[in-house]
Amino acid sequence: MLTLAAAAALVSGGLCGTLGYYIQRFKITTLSFSVAHAALAGAATALVAGTDPTYTALATAVVFALTIGLLSPKIPHERELLSLGFFSLFNALAVLMIYLSNVYVLSSASISVVLWGSLLAVTKPKLVVLTGTLVLFTAYLALYRKQIDAILFDKKLAEAEGINVNLHTLTLLLFSGTAIALALKLTGGFLVFTLLYNPVATSTKISKNARKQQILSTTIGALTALTGLAISYLLDLPVGASIALTSTTLLLTAHTAKTITEKTQLTKLKTTPSQQTTK
Amino acid sequence: MDRRSRPKRHEESRENSRRNPTTRTIRREAIRLEDVWVAYAGSGKPAIREINLFFPLGKLVLITGPNGAGKTTLLETCLGLLKPYRGKAFLLGVDTKSRKILEARRKCSYVPQDFMKPPYESYTARQAIELGLVLENTPDKNTRVEWAAKLLGIEDLLDRPLGTLSGGQQQRVYLARALARKPLVMLLDEPFSSLDRETRKTVAEILRNYVDRENTTVIIVSHDTAPIIELADTTIWMNEGKVVKVEAK
């Protein structure tokens, strides 16, 4: 069981870390944020419907990713606000569904999946699907590497040169929705997006080089998920919160280290000319 | 006329059209705008209005006017990056609202106004130019990159990261990328903004020669008319979203 959970943590952490890098570079963070909460609302609906939360989460995330992905090119200026509107809607739906489900189940395994994640939730078939998604995403990146690179370099220029930016954005949102729905059982619905955003945010604090950021984001995603899982197992804490706290601690540490380094460099620059003048 | 050859040519043309749908629509026109009105969401008024323009292939066109005249909006409308809420815009004969616009854009080049990359940008000048050729299946990509770089005098900068180059050098990289694509239409937004006087003159001459040699249409948006005004076939003056004067040589 622990080996399965460790493998799921590594795969989902790595997959979400990589996706997070592309989401940030494509500037669709808010869109994917609302997709993550669509998955949460879907999982919460399963509590009332009595179905498997993974399937309902997957269905709502994919349908919503398709909808927002097709709609957003038509409303480029309003898409951020619209995404935030959907974010509120899905949160409200999730809370409503939890309220409508039997309150006595709050401590049961099914509700823990929606709220704080569970080690027990990982099964072999779900790990296979998660790994399959990682393989598919890696294949997609390899196949369209140059077009994606052109978009990362300059999105508007790539669009002007005939690259189908909207299609790649939609594909990325669909992969995000799928990865979120699959990782949701491990971390819980309210914390799943930390797997997406914290690794890339940390990578930008460590390096300014885009290629290094991508490698760092994947590595940090996989390692923080694994470390969080270990902390959860050793201290008997909720797995989602443990992963989120680990990755947030790393992000804050990287941010503090970067701030100190920059201030030290600035102080050195300020003092250097005056020393030269004295000499 | 050899009557027997007629059906053959017809069949060949149909075959070409089947392979490439835009071949059907690309004739001799580069850009056609018919009573075009474009507005930004929430602005409440059109950014450009009543625009009727036609540019055939093989012309050097200058669009000028004061800030806020609608020059960049017009250029982005030509490419289909902005869609008219009234009227129609055609790029190489393709309606910019049609799905085929992606194919038409592949035959065009664009240099944006806001091109500057931050100092930590790690893509080299060579990679930046090569990224403009990602949809091309030609084996001579490297030759094209080096040809364009030599033309713009940046062959020594090819392996340097873009972030370490000056504004003028970066602008020449973007111009090299536009030329390396060997386009039918080039749309350049303030392409001289970071260049010194001497380089401006050289680049203007390169563009003029390119138009004459390749039968390409180059549309330049610039608030500063020198030195291109003397070389342009057509100059268009804009003000407050409207075309106020067209002068063709």
Side-chain angles (χ1 to χ4, degrees), chain B:
Chain B
M1 185 181 285
D2 183 2
R3 281 170 185 266
R4 280 171 303 176
S5 67
R6 231 191 218 169
K8 264 191 176 178
R9 278 214 304 268
H10 186 63
E11 271 171 28
E12 192 183 324
S13 162
R14 272 173 56 184
E15 180 59 20
N16 279 341
S17 297
R18 194 183 59 77
R19 277 194 218 135
N20 183 358
T22 52
T23 316
R24 213 167 27 228
T25 44
I26 295 168
R27 288 190 184 94
R28 298 294 303 158
E29 72 175 54
I31 305 238
R32 181 160 39 102
L33 304 173
E34 294 172 353
D35 189 27
V36 164
W37 296 57
V38 177
Y40 292 99
S43 71
K45 63 170 193 169
I48 54 171
R49 58 205 161 102
E50 297 170 56
I51 308 287
N52 287 287
L53 290 169
F54 173 78
F55 306 133
L57 286 172
K59 297 286 175 193
L60 181 60
V61 181
L62 169 68
I63 302 172
T64 191
N67 290 336
K71 306 185 292 291
T72 298
T73 308
L74 179 64
L75 204 68
E76 290 184 3
T77 305
C78 292
L79 265 170
L81 297 176
L82 293 171
K83 314 282 183 202
Y85 69 88
R86 190 172 142 184
K88 281 187 176 242
F90 298 88
L91 175 66
L92 291 167
V94 179
D95 189 333
T96 58
K97 285 181 183 170
S98 148
R99 283 187 186 176
K100 286 177 190 162
I101 190 63
L102 284 175
E103 269 180 72
R105 281 185 199 153
R106 284 170 198 168
K107 295 174 174 65
C108 302
S109 289
Y110 174 59
V111 172
Q113 193 176 12
D114 46 348
F115 62 89
M116 275 293 281
K117 292 287 175 193
Y120 51 81
E121 179 59 68
S122 55
Y123 285 103
T124 62
R126 184 188 297 278
Q127 286 169 329
I129 301 170
E130 278 171 353
L131 285 173
L133 306 173
V134 294
L135 295 172
E136 308 244 346
N137 285 321
T138 50
D140 65 335
K141 281 185 189 177
N142 201 35
T143 320
R144 279 214 224 167
V145 172
E146 284 178 3
W147 164 79
K150 197 175 174 189
L151 204 61
L152 270 301
I154 52 161
E155 64 266 53
D156 297 338
L157 309 174
L158 279 176
D159 295 316
R160 276 180 56 185
L162 216 53
T164 64
L165 305 183
S166 71
Q169 288 169 330
Q170 285 195 35
Q171 197 158 35
R172 278 189 282 160
V173 171
Y174 274 79
L175 283 161
R177 174 168 166 160
L179 284 165
R181 285 168 59 80
K182 301 231 171 196
L184 286 174
V185 183
M186 280 174 83
L187 299 114
L188 316 175
D189 199 351
E190 300 285 358
F192 308 116
S193 60
S194 296
L195 305 181
D196 57 58
R197 192 180 291 176
E198 202 53 43
T199 316
R200 278 178 189 210
K201 206 176 156 209
T202 312
V203 171
E205 278 161 10
I206 289 168
L207 292 172
R208 177 71 256 180
N209 291 338
Y210 191 76
V211 169
D212 295 339
R213 205 175 56 242
E214 304 289 335
N215 201 32
T216 295
T217 290
V218 176
I219 301 170
I220 297 171
V221 156
S222 180
H223 68 276
D224 187 1
T225 56
I228 205 79
I229 197 161
E230 289 151 22
L231 303 171
D233 297 307
T234 308
T235 305
I236 293 163
W237 280 267
M238 289 187 77
N239 198 15
E240 294 180 353
K242 283 183 81 171
V243 171
V244 289
K245 188 179 162 191
V246 179
E247 200 174 271
K249 279 179 191 166

Side-chain angles (χ1 to χ4, degrees), chain A residues 34-256:
Chain A
S34 53
V35 171
H37 285 83
L40 170 65
T45 308
L47 297 175
V48 178
T51 52
D52 187 325
T54 305
Y55 300 131
T56 46
L58 190 62
T60 47
V62 167
V63 168
F64 181 67
L66 267 173
T67 312
I68 198 84
L70 292 171
L71 198 66
S72 64
K74 299 186 196 313
I75 45 158
H77 301 287
E78 291 101 18
R79 73 174 202 187
E80 299 293 304
L81 288 175
L82 190 73
S83 298
L84 289 172
F86 276 115
F87 158 70
S88 309
L89 173 75
F90 291 132
N91 261 350
L93 275 176
V95 172
L96 186 69
M97 290 300 154
I98 291 166
Y99 175 79
L100 289 175
S101 65
N102 188 346
V103 283
Y104 294 110
V105 301
L106 267 173
S107 59
S108 78
S110 56
I111 196 93
S112 72
V113 168
V114 177
L115 293 178
W116 52 77
S118 170
L119 275 170
L120 305 168
V122 184
T123 60
K124 224 172 200 175
K126 278 169 189 166
L127 179 62
V128 170
V129 177
L130 197 61
T131 312
T133 311
L134 176 66
V135 172
L136 263 179
F137 185 56
T138 313
Y140 161 71
L141 289 180
L143 205 60
Y144 293 100
R145 187 177 60 84
K146 287 182 176 174
Q147 288 191 38
I148 294 167
D149 249 8
I151 298 171
L152 298 186
F153 176 74
D154 193 321
K155 201 172 176 178
K156 191 175 175 183
L157 184 56
E159 196 177 1
E161 288 177 347
I163 291 175
N164 199 337
V165 176
N166 292 336
L167 186 66
H168 286 295
T169 307
L170 181 66
T171 310
L172 201 52
L173 280 174
L174 281 172
F175 270 115
S176 305
T178 309
I180 289 163
L182 294 172
L184 193 125
K185 279 201 159 186
L186 189 71
T187 60
F190 283 106
L191 296 168
V192 69
F193 47 84
T194 57
L195 281 179
L196 278 175
Y197 309 125
N198 281 2
V200 66
T202 311
S203 74
T204 58
K205 303 290 172 194
I206 299 171
S207 175
K208 283 180 175 174
N209 183 295
R211 301 226 180 265
K212 283 181 189 165
Q213 280 176 8
Q214 187 197 349
I215 296 163
L216 277 168
S217 188
T218 308
T219 315
I220 290 167
L223 291 181
T224 51
L226 196 64
T227 313
L229 187 79
I231 291 169
S232 157
Y233 179 72
L234 293 171
L235 304 178
D236 194 21
L237 294 171
V239 65
S242 305
I243 292 174
L245 283 171
T246 309
S247 70
T248 311
T249 307
L250 191 64
L251 170 61
L252 293 175
T253 311
H255 177 73
T256 312

